[in-house]
Amino acid sequence: MTLVGTNVPMSGALAKMIGAVSYAANIELPGQLFAKALRSPYPHATLLRIDASRAAALLGVRAVVTRDDLIGLNPYFGTGVEDQPIVSIDKARYAGDIVAAVAADSREIAEEAVSLMEVDYGELSAVTDVLEAAIPGAPIIHEDHVDKTAGGNIHGVYRATSGDVGQGFKESDEIIDNTYTLPPVQHGHIEPHAVTAYWEPGGKLVVHSPCQTPSPLQEQLAKVFKLALNRVRVIVPAVGGGYRGKNHARIEPVVALLARRARRPVQWILTREEVFLTGRRFGAAVKIKTGFKRDGRLIARKVEAYYDMGAYALSGPANTKNACIIAGGPYNIPHRDYTTYAVYTNLPPAGPYRGVGASHVCWAYECEMDEIARRLGMDPLELRLMNLLKEGDRFITGEPMISVGISECVEQAAKSIGWSANVEQSLRGGPIVRGKGLAVAIKSTSTPSNSAASVRLNSDGSAILLTSSAEIGQGAHTSLAQIVGDVLGLPVERVSVTFPDTDVTPYDKSTSSSRTTFHMGRAAQIAAGQIREQLLQAGAKELEARVEDLELINLRLRVKGVPEKNLTFSQLFRAMFGDSSGSLFGNYTLRTEGGIDARSGRGKGSSFWFYSAAGADVEVDIETGKVRVLKISTAVDVGKGIHPKQCDLQNEGSALAGLGSALFEEMRFDQGQPINGTFLDYLLPSTLDHPGEFESVLVETPHPDGPFGAKGMGEAGLPPMAPAIGNALANALNGIRVRDLPMKPDKIVAAIAAAKENR
């Protein structure tokens, strides 16, 4: 390998630096119209009457869409659960739900048209707390999509067990039992959702969207409009960040319908307020109970986690199901009983945010590990190392764990922050106290899964990888080019990677779940390997050598040990085709096997597992509650770092996102109404919040099925960051703990005051 494992120049970096990248919002088509939506002011209300006649009559308005315009379509769409209408049909289910939409010659005209629409609502009782929504007797949000045996607004219940948890608690020396909560947070991608759609004269739908899942989006649009897949084309330009906030269909169906009615291209670029109403991360409440021996061995763990999906399911059920099997953490516990609930609420629809439900349960189980260590007077690092999964251990799903580097991850994170075996980390000095904390995490990737790659080699030794994996800033184009380049012996600049275009690029399940390097990278490796084999066979004949004695290096096929005996690519093509022009192709579809039974939680939970750890060194002012993060470290088992620098940058991004979730990020609502729905009011980490020191550690435990041993790592660093900071804060405060994120100053001061009163 000459490319894999090195920091080659990042693909497209210069274009981004000089502002030459064209994003979805830059698209301008002849005759383009602009969309705007009328949104419900109520979190829950029936639609009694909709009159859009005044809007339709306004000069410059070219199309109006209400529930009356859905005849002949499949009006509902969704990921697995088709519960979201193109526009509201019977009722609005959250404040901001789309009731109607218009397309006009300008954004100003579209906004005026929306203001002219008349709607009569029948306000209904709303439920915005996930635990209240799950109670039988709560106002029902989706009559047709709830589990009537579970009660309330619970859509689905997922369970995983091993051993006998009741017996395990009886065998335990001590038991602790706590509840932890996490609020909804915003993905915070800089680029808003921006969709442009038009219909070709022959009836083909073309959509430009910064979507992370072009192939599934194509399928959803084809189903909505009752079209064959080849009648829907989805084109994805460079994406200005997504973090899974741009998965699957969002506003694309309504924009496409407006374009069909107007018979002109329609574009809708969301405002930041509209982005806040379009997607967010799940809020959650996690109840966790753990039994353990006095020597630190974990014996039994029971977890109940409630995930707030919001008004529509999207990928909520899959997220909740995946979270179930990791609800107790990466620990070898004999007796386990984990249950997760996917719950509807009257809040904006939710989705994953860098971790498929992992951050929610990790916040609970890692804070709980430090609680156990404090109860026992034991070093939290020693406690974790005693109980962590090891190579060959059976997970709760029953599958054996392979490529397990988690112990090394936590040891490296501890070393990075100067961890001491002394549990009490506080250093006293006036009102400022200091503490250090650790946390680990386990995460799955989408399984089973499907990714296809096509590689074309040109006669001059340049190659093109056709893929529907989206470049969302994570560096996928660079890593995939490195993989193909190493297989074919090409410099990285001789390999280009396409942007997704479903008319040209083959199927890919999604650019999410940190799956691209493993899945698409492996598919590209095998596809390029097919071309390599063709070259070797042709070269063996020309050079009168055995295939195993040949190597592809730096644009030449040569005999090992005899570098002067070689052929250029042009010579190879001439030998194969009688001409130095032409193309060679390699195609491969990687399908990973697996899946979990929803009732038993048994099966193959992941084609590979993520392991990570975080360390934090913080100080807090006990008078004001203000926390300052001095240093954070993130260690991730990547299998093999294809591009180490990109891996480090991913770790840093995850660490900052985790810091924001830990200390100040939350979407706030008052009776269903958003009250901090802009970046002016919503607190994202700034450069001033960045810790003085940050260290990224890459642990390499090669996976036998990954390209060159690689796994994935983009999301892995986020889940353990909040509990690492929470544990550091608790150590600084001699065990006083805030269990409800974010750990804002007022909560910290209140916790300190409550502890004083209870002494």
Side-chain angles (χ1 to χ4, degrees), residues 33-53:
L33 304 175
F34 302 91
K36 198 70 179 177
L38 174 69
R39 296 178 179 271
S40 168
Y42 302 105
H44 201 193
T46 55
L47 302 181
L48 303 176
R49 182 183 70 95
I50 302 174
D51 185 352
S53 58

Side-chain angles (χ1 to χ4, degrees), residues 540-734:
K541 183 178 180 181
E542 289 294 308
L543 296 171
E544 298 181 340
R546 297 185 306 170
V547 167
E548 54 267 31
D549 292 332
L550 300 177
E551 58 186 357
L552 280 166
I553 294 180
N554 198 24
L555 295 172
R556 288 180 181 270
L557 179 71
R558 68 187 193 186
V559 179
K560 295 175 184 177
V562 192
E564 65 275 11
K565 194 174 181 181
N566 64 75
L567 294 170
T568 66
F569 278 87
S570 292
Q571 290 170 325
L572 283 167
F573 271 71
R574 183 174 293 278
M576 298 174 73
F577 304 120
D579 194 326
S580 58
S581 299
S583 299
L584 289 177
F585 291 90
N587 303 282
Y588 189 77
T589 298
L590 180 77
R591 185 183 188 279
T592 57
E593 303 291 336
I596 295 296
D597 182 82
R599 296 181 179 178
S600 67
R602 311 294 281 183
K604 183 176 175 62
S606 188
S607 53
F608 69 92
W609 291 93
F610 296 85
Y611 304 103
S612 60
D617 184 356
V618 311
E619 64 179 23
V620 58
D621 187 322
I622 61 175
E623 294 179 351
T624 66
K626 181 173 176 57
V627 177
R628 180 172 168 237
V629 180
L630 304 175
K631 181 175 183 177
I632 51 180
S633 64
T634 304
V636 175
D637 179 4
V638 299
K640 174 65 180 178
I642 302 295
H643 191 294
K645 186 61 178 178
Q646 286 185 168
C647 293
D648 289 335
L649 292 171
Q650 288 274 27
N651 268 349
E652 188 170 5
S654 288
L656 281 175
L659 183 151
S661 296
L663 297 179
F664 36 77
E665 285 192 57
E666 61 176 332
M667 289 177 65
R668 300 178 62 196
F669 299 88
D670 182 5
Q671 297 182 349
Q673 300 293 336
I675 58 177
N676 66 336
T678 71
F679 282 166
L680 293 174
D681 302 308
Y682 182 85
L683 298 178
L684 286 169
S686 71
T687 53
L688 297 178
D689 299 303
H690 198 292
E693 294 183 71
F694 169 76
E695 183 173 359
S696 166
V697 180
L698 305 182
V699 173
E700 294 189 326
T701 311
H703 194 286
D705 298 328
F708 300 102
K711 294 188 271 195
M713 61 87 51
E715 302 167 310
L718 175 59
M721 187 51 59
I725 294 173
N727 289 335
L729 178 61
N731 282 332
L733 299 175
N734 292 315

